Amino acid sequence: MNERAIKAIVRKDLKVVARSRGVILPLVLVPTIMLIALPALAALAPAAADLPITPLAGLDSFIANMPPGLQAELAGLDEAQRWVVLALVYFLAPMYLIIPLMVASVIAADSFAGEKERKTLEALLYTPTTDGELFLGKVLSAWLPAVGVAWGGFVLYGLVANLAAWPVMERIFFPTTMWLVLVIWVAPAVAGLGLGTMVLVSVRVQGFQEAYQLGGAVVLPILLLVIGQAMGVMYLNVGFVLLLGLVLWGVDALLLWFGTRTFRRSKLTARI
């Protein structure tokens, strides 16, 4: 395995991403909304308790329909604290996973489909690398920034959550053990799911937008987690998150195995 060639592919792709406004824009806007705006609004919501319409209305009956384990986690907290913990620790946790998924998907969609649009794919295919090195370089160029943004975003989310919720919680309540497992174990696997799917799609289409639209279905598992928690079917605890990560790593391994088995530059050359 030629590590220098792989690093060169990663560096080249990251430079291209940094110069592309169409790629950078969603990479800035979505994390800003997910990691700053949403947790700040959720933490400040108890301040609106005296308004005619307040998120705390009906909170007790809502929690009564949640799984017993989640009810036990919220026991001993007052109404405003229950809202803050419910929103920032549990309900926004699946939304956080959209960050590594989105970053990996956007960069991966640009990996081959973007090369086709820029008419630079042919030169890339004739570089002195093996098919495996080229595929691995493309995968790492999306996975590494996705994990970096996810881990950096986690630190930012924690600062916003603790600062905005301090008047209610009066202590540092974030991160929890579940969140640490989510960030270290699940977020890299989610990034792998997004890029593995998107690279396979992007080699078969002609443009970035087409690849991104076709690969958008990969966000469905995240939406199921959001809906499942909101309906009280399940909630994110340490055991569930460990199992979720194990399943996702298994899917990633299958995608990587399939990608390395089917990726052939001769097929790409024929599609140009």
Side-chain angles (χ1 to χ4, degrees):
M1 189 69 71
N2 188 341
E3 294 184 5
R4 292 184 61 184
I6 294 172
K7 290 179 181 177
I9 293 171
V10 173
R11 284 196 296 270
K12 172 193 167 292
D13 277 11
L14 293 181
K15 288 180 181 177
V16 171
V17 167
R19 290 197 296 262
S20 175
R21 186 176 300 176
V23 175
I24 287 294
L25 194 60
L27 299 186
V28 173
L29 287 180
V30 176
T32 300
I33 294 171
M34 295 287 186
L35 303 174
I36 298 177
L38 285 182
L41 289 173
L44 296 173
D50 296 332
L51 297 178
I53 300 177
T54 168
L56 302 186
L59 182 62
D60 289 339
S61 59
F62 179 78
I63 293 176
N65 294 320
M66 292 289 106
L70 181 54
Q71 294 183 38
E73 296 285 347
L74 300 174
L77 302 176
D78 63 32
E79 187 178 49
Q81 291 173 337
R82 288 201 299 273
W83 162 262
V84 167
V85 172
L86 192 64
L88 296 181
V89 175
Y90 293 100
F91 283 172
L92 290 182
M95 305 295 284
Y96 163 79
L97 295 177
I98 291 178
I99 301 301
L101 183 70
M102 185 272 300
V103 174
S105 297
V106 169
I107 297 177
D110 190 65
S111 63
F112 287 105
E115 296 272 9
K116 292 177 185 175
E117 284 185 340
R118 293 186 292 271
K119 309 297 182 185
T120 56
L121 182 59
E122 189 172 8
L124 178 68
L125 296 178
Y126 287 113
T127 55
T129 57
T130 66
D131 289 348
E133 290 165 353
L134 182 56
F135 183 80
L136 184 57
K138 288 292 187 183
V139 166
L140 288 177
S141 66
W143 187 79
L144 292 175
V147 174
V149 171
W151 287 357
F154 163 69
V155 175
L156 184 62
Y157 182 95
L159 289 174
V160 172
N162 283 305
L163 287 173
W166 185 267
V168 174
M169 301 303 293
E170 297 181 335
R171 61 185 173 86
I172 296 175
F173 72 101
F174 188 92
T176 63
T177 304
M178 182 276 288
W179 261 87
L180 292 176
V181 176
L182 187 79
V183 170
I184 296 172
W185 175 241
V186 179
V190 169
L193 175 67
L195 75 89
T197 304
M198 200 60 75
V199 168
L200 292 176
V201 170
S202 65
V203 298
R204 290 165 172 78
V205 299
Q206 293 301 320
F208 169 79
Q209 291 297 335
E210 186 181 359
Y212 193 59
Q213 289 169 2
L214 288 175
V218 75
V219 77
L220 287 177
I222 305 298
L223 296 180
L224 290 177
L225 290 176
V226 175
I227 295 171
Q229 276 206 139
M231 297 183 67
V233 176
M234 41 68 68
Y235 79 104
L236 296 184
N237 54 36
V238 174
F240 182 89
V241 171
L242 284 171
L243 180 61
L244 176 64
L246 185 64
V247 172
L248 289 173
W249 280 116
V251 174
D252 290 352
L254 286 175
L255 288 174
L256 185 62
W257 173 82
F258 183 75
T260 53
R261 296 269 299 181
T262 58
F263 178 78
R264 296 291 181 270
R265 67 179 67 201
S266 57
K267 294 181 180 178
L268 281 174
T269 306
R271 291 191 178 101
I272 297 175

